[in-house]
Amino acid sequence: MLAAKRVATLGVRSAKQSLAKQASAVQVVRRTAPVRSLQSLVQSNRQTDRDTITRLLYSIGTKREVERYLRIFSSSSDSAQPAKFAVIKIGGAVLDQVEELALSLSFLYRVGLYPVVLHGAGPQLNSIIEAEGIVPDYIEGVRVTDAKTLQIARRVFLEENLKLVGALEKLGTRARPITSGVFTADFLDKDKYGLVGKITRIDKRPLEASIRAGALPILTSLAESESGQILNVNADIAAGELAKELEPLKIVFLNEKGGLFHGVTGEKLDVINLDEEYDELMKQPWVKYGTKLKLREFKELLDHLPRSSSVAVISADSLQRELFTDSGAGTLIRRGYKLYKHESIESIGADRLRQVIHDRDPDIKSGDQSVTGVLNSLKKAPYVIYGDEPMDVVAIVTKPEGETPVMTKLLASRAGILNGIVDNVFNSIKKDHKRLFWTARADDENRAWHFERADGSFTRAGRSLFWYGVQDVKEVERIVKGFEESGRIERAYLPVGPSAPPHRTPAAAPSGSRSFSTFARRNVAGSSRGYATAAAPSTTPKRLALIGARGFTGQTLTSLLAKHPHLELTHVSSRQLAGYSLQGYDKADIKYSDLSVEDVERMEKDGEVDAWVMALPNGVCKPFVDAVDRGAQARKNGEASVVVDLSADYRFEDGWTYGLPELYDRAAIRRAKRISNPGCYATSTQLLVAPLLRYIKRDHWPTIFGMSGYSGAGTIAGPIAPDGRPTTAPKVTPESLAGGIRPYSLTNHIHEREAGHHLSRLLPDQGYQMKVAFVPNVAPWFSGIISVLSMPLHGRVNAKEVQALYEDRYKGEKLITVKKDVVALPDVEGKHGWTVGGFQVHSDGDRAVVVGGLDNLLKGAATQCLQNLNLALGYDEYAGIPL
């Protein structure tokens, strides 16, 4: 659904306007993330505030990514050393964006993280001294500071400091201005530079006292000599000296550019591993002047810090993405690591390896294995131990002659995860082995990492088997049979023994989990052992509860359910309509109720319904899903209910199945108990792009221009009906659009990330993260989305061949229509499927344009929800859907 006028993100100007009214704001970096309301966040207690904002972070990364980094950062500090999380240096130019900057820092504060913030004010100082007739003077990049300049500098620093503190306090974030008492300095060279200092001592007590008192410390870079003379210190240098004293995990430099850039190509440098790249970088002809100075300073700084520390150069609006995702946002600079391979325990050091296994191996911690047993098992077959010099990551791969290699252990420290060493070790393994199998537990905090790097997987009862490099299902079965016979992989991880019916979760599995398999992220037919299953459609009547039935989507779904041959709508919850009769449903006389979380838990425990649909705004349904989970755990008889969530809350979460049947594994949906319904724009975008993925041009991402009817913007409270019933009205009206379209969320729309995230599963290279560029618009018709794809191509192709790709891909799909002509609104409005047409290719043969469309309330929401319900409940996929 459209996200127009929702409370959004750092980079969105409307959020700033809302915050000007003193609402306690939140943001998601470069991603649109709807929130309940800013005012509710102001009134919520601290834990609720933290929980809400933590969930918003899931919009920029996976839940496990976010929770892992939160746990790492939160554990970095304690009452004795409260300033170990981060030092954030703010460039003077960034201070001009004080509202956006305050949002970024407030976000950290609300999840319980306290960075030490130090700012400069160079541009502001230059502006004032030039206005007073003083020409700024620099020698070797150092500002020459006389008494007049220092007097102005003190005033400017204080004003900018208080401005930032005030912006934070306005958001409900406690902040403490600290303009003196931290840095002690001597003259750098009094005759040459004047009143410029070289820091000799740092007193961190004022910073720690601020954090212990629950306030962010906001520092300037002014220092005092032993005699009390104020001295000017370059803010970058002050931040570096401060970091050496505090030894934080992260040192962040906020600037306007958002990173360091290649001097020839202009591309942003994502990661610099100084141990491996520094010498070569400094020889490059494009590395000169300021860039060379920065790299030298960063190396000198990191050489004084633990390897777990790293420097990030980013823009203010990318702070959350840099801190809480593996992909980051700006330029990450770290000391790096040198990788090794050992073919014997003795060459790596038995004591070192023993300690790593003892400290990190979950099987050791759970008591399932012993260290001695692990080491003895290595004597049974040839093996290679992969890792880095400090052993932040250790992986063990066994490979008997002529057999498939198995990674038996992957053990990473906090630094190994934080600094991305796991990926480098894994890539080293991939260079040596064209195929690999490995396992992971369901409670592995990095489980999402495994899924992202596997070509296929099988999960049952909390244990997962992963593999890459094997594309034939029969070959997978042969290899698995070999593992079963040899005992190289524990039987509990293998897809052997009787499989469960396709739509039922094994009794041993906890609520919300299920046995499922994937293979190269595609449907796999004709195989055994649960890789794909088929069963005659059920016709058993089942009961459904709908929570959040007041909006357009809820109303549309109610109309579909009224004609469903097997599903009975038994509960409809709406706080505003409680007590009124449900309109548009004639199977039974249903009255709206106002189900509480306790009601939902009790109903699930007592088995009152077979399925739940959550038709709630983004960020709202978690308490109800948690209640279903609790009720399922307490349930004595029968299996847990199916939950389909129509919001964006669970579209990136492990343990939830993404419900787009035409593209992803239908069998997985049949087995699922927790299904996230795709977004309307995201559905059309993925269906448009998928057939062309074989021609994708790396780093030249497809662009989708989308137009949706105003129903996609949602509803607001309307006038009271004559019978006293509350009504709803469109949030955006045709009149307000004046007959035209209104672009919105021009970058980082949530459906943009959603489409790229899931399309990546279809790429041959599973380690490659795809992106799409998406430009949404709201239009003056009621419902219906028109999406125009423009996609650069790798290789030449003509329009006829492009059309054939779509016809082949969607052959037999009952809800997809492929036509020659350009798709228009009458082709999609009120229709239950998706239509594609208008296939064109640029005269150079290197860019395709295709038009697709769907009704945002039907295939973009309610119809797709019914498809998913039908599959998960064992019905025919199209039961109740007019074809």
Side-chain angles (χ1 to χ4, degrees):
M1 302 297 286
L2 296 177
K5 294 188 179 179
R6 289 176 180 167
V7 179
T9 61
L10 262 178
V12 181
R13 296 182 182 275
S14 60
K16 297 181 184 179
Q17 296 166 353
S18 299
L19 289 171
K21 300 176 182 178
Q22 299 190 16
S24 177
V26 293
Q27 60 167 347
V28 173
V29 180
R30 297 168 66 180
R31 305 285 182 197
T32 302
V35 219
R36 299 180 205 177
S37 73
L38 295 175
Q39 190 59 37
S40 67
L41 289 179
V42 178
Q43 298 169 348
S44 62
N45 62 45
R46 186 62 179 275
Q47 184 59 44
T48 302
D49 207 8
R50 177 188 169 105
D51 291 344
T52 302
I53 296 176
T54 299
R55 290 192 58 76
L56 291 177
L57 286 171
Y58 299 163
S59 297
I60 61 169
T62 67
K63 179 179 179 181
R64 290 182 183 273
E65 274 182 297
V66 170
E67 291 182 346
R68 182 174 74 242
Y69 285 113
L70 269 177
R71 183 164 55 254
I72 290 172
F73 292 145
S74 298
S75 64
S76 64
S77 303
D78 53 37
S79 58
Q81 294 181 307
K84 302 285 279 186
F85 160 48
V87 170
I88 298 179
K89 185 268 173 178
I90 302 169
V94 179
L95 283 173
D96 290 335
Q97 309 162 29
V98 67
E99 291 182 356
E100 190 165 89
L101 176 61
L103 278 166
S104 289
L105 298 175
S106 182
F107 212 118
L108 298 177
Y109 173 85
R110 292 178 184 280
V111 293
L113 299 175
Y114 290 81
V116 176
V117 180
L118 183 145
H119 66 82
Q124 293 85 351
L125 178 58
N126 283 342
S127 177
I128 292 176
I129 64 175
E130 287 172 359
E132 297 192 12
I134 303 172
V135 178
D137 187 15
Y138 294 87
I139 299 177
E140 299 172 350
V142 177
R143 182 193 294 273
V144 177
T145 305
D146 58 16
K148 178 67 172 177
T149 300
L150 183 62
Q151 180 184 13
I152 298 172
R154 291 182 65 186
R155 185 176 78 244
V156 171
F157 272 118
L158 180 60
E159 289 174 353
E160 296 299 322
N161 188 276
L162 292 178
K163 186 188 300 182
L164 177 55
V165 170
L168 288 165
E169 295 280 356
K170 189 176 181 180
L171 299 179
T173 298
R174 295 188 59 201
R176 180 175 293 182
I178 302 176
T179 57
S180 62
V182 174
F183 300 112
T184 300
D186 286 335
F187 287 93
L188 180 61
D189 186 331
K190 188 173 183 180
D191 295 333
K192 188 174 183 178
Y193 303 112
L195 301 174
V196 175
K198 178 181 180 180
I199 294 173
T200 58
R201 188 172 70 251
I202 292 175
D203 187 350
K204 60 183 180 181
R205 291 177 298 174
L207 314 177
E208 294 177 340
S210 174
I211 294 174
R212 291 191 185 102
L216 298 183
I218 312 297
L219 287 75
T220 68
S221 59
L222 294 176
E224 298 95 29
S225 69
E226 295 286 356
S227 62
Q229 172 64 53
I230 303 296
L231 297 173
N232 186 23
V233 178
N234 177 275
D236 284 347
I237 294 174
E241 294 299 319
L242 188 61
K244 292 176 187 177
E245 176 69 25
L246 299 176
E247 296 188 347
L249 282 178
K250 303 290 289 189
I251 305 96
V252 178
F253 291 84
L254 299 183
N255 66 17
E256 286 183 301
K257 295 181 179 179
L260 300 180
F261 293 82
H262 194 288
V264 176
T265 66
E267 294 179 347
K268 185 176 66 180
L269 304 175
D270 291 328
V271 180
I272 298 174
N273 294 310
L274 293 174
D275 282 2
E276 296 178 4
E277 303 173 43
Y278 178 77
D279 292 338
E280 190 62 30
L281 265 177
M282 297 299 277
K283 296 176 185 176
Q284 297 298 315
W286 58 269
V287 177
K288 51 188 177 182
Y289 308 123
T291 302
K292 184 166 287 189
L293 177 63
K294 289 289 184 189
L295 289 173
R296 188 178 294 118
E297 289 175 351
F298 291 151
K299 185 178 189 306
E300 194 271 337
L301 168 60
L302 290 173
D303 282 345
H304 282 79
L305 296 174
R307 281 191 179 269
S308 56
S309 296
S310 60
V311 169
V313 181
I314 55 174
S315 58
D317 63 350
S318 298
L319 184 58
Q320 278 73 38
R321 189 171 173 221
E322 174 62 32
L323 292 177
F324 296 106
T325 68
D326 292 334
S327 59
T331 300
L332 176 68
I333 303 101
R334 57 195 179 196
R335 288 176 63 187
Y337 36 80
K338 293 183 178 178
L339 303 182
Y340 63 74
K341 290 188 289 186
H342 294 284
E343 296 184 355
S344 71
I345 295 175
E346 290 72 25
S347 61
I348 190 176
D351 290 340
R352 294 180 71 200
L353 182 60
R354 178 182 290 273
Q355 191 63 49
V356 168
I357 295 172
H358 176 272
D359 292 344
R360 302 180 196 162
D361 194 332
D363 292 327
I364 303 299
K365 294 180 178 180
S366 66
D368 293 341
Q369 293 182 359
S370 67
V371 176
T372 301
V374 171
L375 296 179
N376 286 339
S377 69
L378 296 180
K379 300 176 182 178
K380 299 178 181 179
Y383 61 88
V384 178
I385 303 173
Y386 296 80
D388 63 321
E389 287 181 342
M391 296 185 74
D392 283 322
V393 176
V394 171
I396 302 175
V397 176
T398 65
K399 189 182 183 303
E401 187 67 28
E403 296 189 30
T404 300
V406 174
M407 183 167 65
T408 60
K409 297 294 178 186
L410 180 60
L411 309 174
S413 69
R414 182 176 69 176
I417 296 170
L418 192 64
N419 292 323
I421 305 172
V422 178
D423 278 329
N424 287 277
V425 170
F426 191 74
N427 289 336
S428 178
I429 294 172
K430 290 189 74 173
K431 289 179 181 178
D432 292 347
H433 303 289
K434 294 182 178 180
R435 57 173 58 181
L436 184 77
F437 280 68
W438 72 98
T439 62
R441 293 171 172 238
D443 58 0
D444 186 334
E445 65 177 17
N446 302 311
R447 192 160 171 255
W449 180 94
H450 299 278
F451 280 103
E452 291 166 1
R453 283 148 187 83
D455 288 341
S457 65
F458 178 88
T459 296
R460 180 176 61 192
R463 295 171 185 262
S464 295
L465 174 71
F466 301 94
W467 65 87
Y468 71 74
V470 184
Q471 304 301 328
D472 181 75
V473 70
K474 297 295 185 183
E475 178 70 0
V476 172
E477 293 179 3
R478 184 192 66 77
I479 294 171
V480 166
K481 185 176 181 180
F483 290 151
E484 181 184 9
E485 294 172 351
S486 66
R488 291 183 62 205
I489 292 181
E490 185 182 341
R491 183 184 175 89
Y493 286 98
L494 300 177
V496 296
S499 59
H503 62 282
R504 296 188 181 274
T505 300
S511 173
S513 67
R514 62 208 182 274
S515 175
F516 65 92
S517 63
T518 65
F519 189 84
R521 307 304 194 265
R522 299 177 181 88
N523 296 334
V524 181
S527 59
S528 60
R529 293 183 180 143
Y531 289 99
T533 55
S538 171
T539 58
T540 303
K542 294 187 177 179
R543 301 151 299 171
L544 174 72
L546 173 60
I547 298 182
R550 189 184 182 201
F552 289 138
T553 300
Q555 296 169 20
T556 305
L557 181 58
T558 298
S559 299
L560 285 175
L561 292 170
K563 296 179 175 59
H564 196 285
H566 315 303
L567 266 177
E568 302 293 333
L569 188 57
T570 58
H571 297 79
V572 181
S573 178
S574 170
R575 179 170 52 86
Q576 295 88 349
L577 293 173
Y580 289 97
S581 295
L582 174 64
Q583 296 176 334
Y585 187 82
D586 53 14
K587 286 186 180 180
D589 183 16
I590 305 292
K591 291 188 180 297
Y592 287 97
S593 58
D594 181 12
L595 294 178
S596 66
V597 169
E598 293 75 20
D599 293 331
V600 170
E601 181 176 349
R602 175 190 55 76
M603 289 169 61
E604 177 66 16
K605 178 181 177 182
D606 296 342
E608 291 188 20
V609 297
D610 301 289
W612 301 84
V613 172
M614 306 294 174
L616 296 165
N618 293 341
V620 176
C621 76
K622 183 179 186 299
F624 295 98
V625 172
D626 290 346
V628 174
D629 289 341
R630 290 193 300 270
Q633 290 170 2
R635 201 165 179 169
K636 296 181 179 179
N637 298 309
E639 61 182 35
S641 298
V642 170
V643 177
V644 178
D645 176 36
L646 302 187
S647 77
D649 289 10
Y650 294 96
R651 291 174 189 162
F652 305 92
E653 299 231 8
D654 300 330
W656 285 70
T657 298
Y658 188 69
L660 181 43
E662 289 82 4
L663 284 184
Y664 306 109
D665 194 351
R666 278 185 166 93
I669 301 174
R670 285 196 179 278
R671 291 187 292 269
K673 288 295 183 181
R674 300 290 181 266
I675 301 169
S676 57
N677 217 58
C680 52
Y681 272 133
T683 296
S684 188
T685 295
Q686 291 172 83
L687 292 171
L688 267 175
V689 173
L692 290 172
L693 284 178
R694 70 177 69 178
Y695 290 102
I696 191 166
K697 191 172 184 179
R698 292 295 179 88
D699 299 324
H700 294 74
W701 303 115
T703 297
I704 296 90
F705 182 88
M707 295 172 286
S708 173
Y710 60 84
S711 61
T715 61
I716 59 175
I720 301 298
D723 63 354
R725 175 192 296 261
T727 66
T728 56
K731 187 180 291 185
V732 175
T733 64
E735 293 76 18
S736 69
L737 297 173
I741 64 172
R742 179 186 300 162
Y744 70 99
S745 295
L746 300 182
T747 59
N748 306 313
H749 191 289
I750 186 65
H751 291 180
E752 180 178 84
R753 176 173 174 263
E754 179 185 339
H757 175 82
H758 291 287
L759 282 170
S760 298
R761 298 159 54 188
L762 302 177
L763 293 175
D765 181 357
Q766 290 294 297
Y768 200 74
Q769 180 62 43
M770 182 174 174
K771 296 180 181 179
V772 297
F774 173 53
V775 183
N777 303 264
V778 60
W781 57 79
F782 178 70
S783 67
I785 284 177
I786 300 295
S787 303
V788 182
L789 166 68
S790 176
M791 182 167 169
L793 303 176
H794 176 69
R796 297 179 66 87
V797 65
N798 60 43
K800 187 175 181 180
E801 292 169 333
V802 170
Q803 181 172 342
L805 290 174
Y806 285 80
E807 291 172 341
D808 291 344
R809 177 78 195 214
Y810 298 125
K811 184 178 181 180
E813 292 293 349
K814 296 183 179 180
L815 294 182
I816 292 184
T817 301
V818 181
K819 57 180 291 185
K820 182 178 180 180
D821 298 332
V822 171
V823 176
L825 185 61
D827 296 318
V828 300
E829 190 172 18
K831 305 296 194 301
H832 289 272
W834 180 73
T835 300
V836 62
F839 305 98
Q840 297 289 322
V841 174
H842 189 269
S843 57
D844 291 336
D846 60 356
R847 181 172 66 90
V849 178
V850 184
V851 182
L854 51 75
D855 191 303
N856 52 287
L857 297 178
L858 295 172
K859 179 57 179 170
T863 302
Q864 192 143 261
C865 173
L866 200 52
Q867 279 181 272
N868 289 321
L869 280 171
N870 285 335
L871 288 167
L873 294 173
Y875 297 138
D876 180 89
E877 180 179 339
Y878 307 102
I881 300 173
L883 296 175

